[in-house]
Amino acid sequence: MVVDDEPRVRQMLRDVLVELGYVVKLAARGAEALSLVPVFQPDLVLLDLQMPQMSGVEVLDHLRRDHPNLRVVILTGNEDVEVAKSTLRGGAFDYVSKPFSIELLERVVAAAIAQPPASCPPS
């Protein structure tokens, strides 16, 4: 799932991820994402930090509480790197600073999806 309030960013991420073989659901706002997660049951959420009405940090807090095993990768502008780092302590899997390379995004997404959920013992 991609959660970003910028339509161009959402579409670009969707196109890249679909090309890599992923099924992608889009959300423009945090509240929309929170309502879609139980229905769509994504393996991963790419979550923008800077969104109106509900910030990415607030969305992450809700996801950690309601879906603790869901992996979340934070998308952030360079000015938000310190906040993004703090989201790692709040349960995010990783963060990617905008602008980012497709290769970096591909590696982070693959690593997040390959990571077993916290409740599953390693095999």
Side-chain angles (χ1 to χ4, degrees), residues 4-22:
D4 197 303
D5 62 313
E6 295 181 44
R8 288 188 357 227
V9 173
R10 279 195 315 274
Q11 192 61 45
M12 181 273 302
L13 288 168
R14 188 195 77 68
D15 292 348
V16 167
L17 294 169
V18 166
E19 188 172 309
L20 293 171
Y22 298 106

Side-chain angles (χ1 to χ4, degrees), residues 75-119:
L75 302 174
T76 180
N78 286 329
E79 67 276 3
D80 301 321
V81 169
E82 289 307 313
V83 175
K85 287 178 182 177
S86 75
T87 65
L88 298 176
R89 292 186 295 277
F93 177 81
D94 204 348
Y95 71 92
V96 177
S97 295
K98 296 177 188 176
F100 49 82
S101 71
I102 300 305
E103 294 79 17
L104 174 62
L105 181 69
E106 182 177 0
R107 283 194 310 269
V108 171
V109 167
I113 289 176
Q115 178 75 27
S119 65

Side-chain angles (χ1 to χ4, degrees), residues 43-90:
D43 295 318
L44 172 69
V45 173
L46 295 176
L47 177 61
D48 186 28
L49 271 184
Q50 294 294 322
M51 294 185 295
Q53 299 160 355
M54 181 182 285
S55 74
V57 172
E58 291 172 295
V59 175
L60 177 63
D61 289 344
H62 284 278
L63 291 173
R64 292 283 56 90
R65 184 187 67 228
D66 299 337
H67 309 279
N69 295 325
L70 179 58
R71 288 166 297 271
V72 178
V73 172
I74 300 296
L75 302 174
T76 180
N78 286 329
E79 67 276 3
D80 301 321
V81 169
E82 289 307 313
V83 175
K85 287 178 182 177
S86 75
T87 65
L88 298 176
R89 292 186 295 277

